[in-house]
Amino acid sequence: MTRLPILHYPDTRLTTVAKPVAMVDERIKTLVAQMLMTMYEEEGVGLAATQVDVHEQVVVIDISDGGDQPLVLINPQLLWASDERQQSKEGCLSVPQIYDSVSRAAQVKVRALDLNGLPRDIEADGLLAACIQHEMDHLAGKVFIEYLSPLKRNRYKIKAAKLQRVGV
Ligand code: GNR
Ligand code: NI
């Protein structure tokens, strides 16, 4: 099973807006399997197709301790987000070695297709809510450091450029 290479910020391909998946077929199932493998190997709790240079609306998430509860979201749509906010410490496989606190909706409701192409509604809070919003941002071409203050963001841009130069 192939592990996919992950794009690193500030790669401009990370700003691509993903298209909806037209049909959940073998091609999408293979992509999901490869994305799950990649996420587990990189020890992330989520991965969006954008990060592996596929610009279709596919997300995988697993926030379980055992890494045995994969969640697949195809064409996710935000149905509702709470006014209540939560701060959580985020990292991103596309922004190595940078971790910071991000404010997001504390609860969300999302509708997405599963691997069988069937619509499912998901209610999430805590880490899962943060993760779903983080991954949906990737599909919209956004990375989490865009939420930080301009000062921090600039500091991180410089750090990311240095890491890229040394090949991280
Ligand atoms: O591994 C990851 N951890 C994480 C922590 C808090 C909120 C979101 C995430 S997602 C991230 C993996 C990743 O880059 N997904 O796009
Ligand atoms: Ni990310």
Side-chain angles (χ1 to χ4, degrees), residues 23-128:
M23 194 178 32
V24 183
D25 55 11
E26 281 309 308
R27 184 181 64 90
I28 296 299
K29 287 179 188 171
T30 301
L31 172 65
V32 165
Q34 292 174 337
M35 285 174 61
L36 282 167
M37 181 63 57
T38 306
M39 177 183 73
Y40 289 127
E41 289 209 359
E42 299 287 341
E43 295 181 3
V45 296
L47 187 69
T50 309
Q51 294 176 274
V52 295
D53 204 21
V54 175
H55 302 288
E56 295 179 73
Q57 295 173 15
V58 178
V59 162
V60 295
I61 292 175
D62 192 338
I63 59 160
S64 70
D65 288 333
D68 55 1
Q69 287 170 53
L71 185 63
V72 177
L73 305 181
I74 296 167
N75 300 346
Q77 286 175 280
L78 190 65
L79 299 177
W80 175 80
S82 63
D83 290 332
E84 188 195 336
R85 312 281 291 177
Q86 66 176 353
Q87 292 269 345
S88 48
K89 196 96 171 168
E90 297 195 10
C92 181
L93 295 174
S94 294
V95 194
Q97 300 181 30
I98 288 167
Y99 304 91
D100 213 326
S101 205
V102 178
S103 165
R104 298 188 187 272
Q107 291 104 24
V108 292
K109 288 185 188 153
V110 171
R111 180 165 297 159
L113 301 180
D114 66 15
L115 253 198
N116 299 312
L118 299 172
R120 276 183 55 187
D121 287 0
I122 294 143
E123 290 185 30
D125 61 10
L127 174 61
L128 183 57

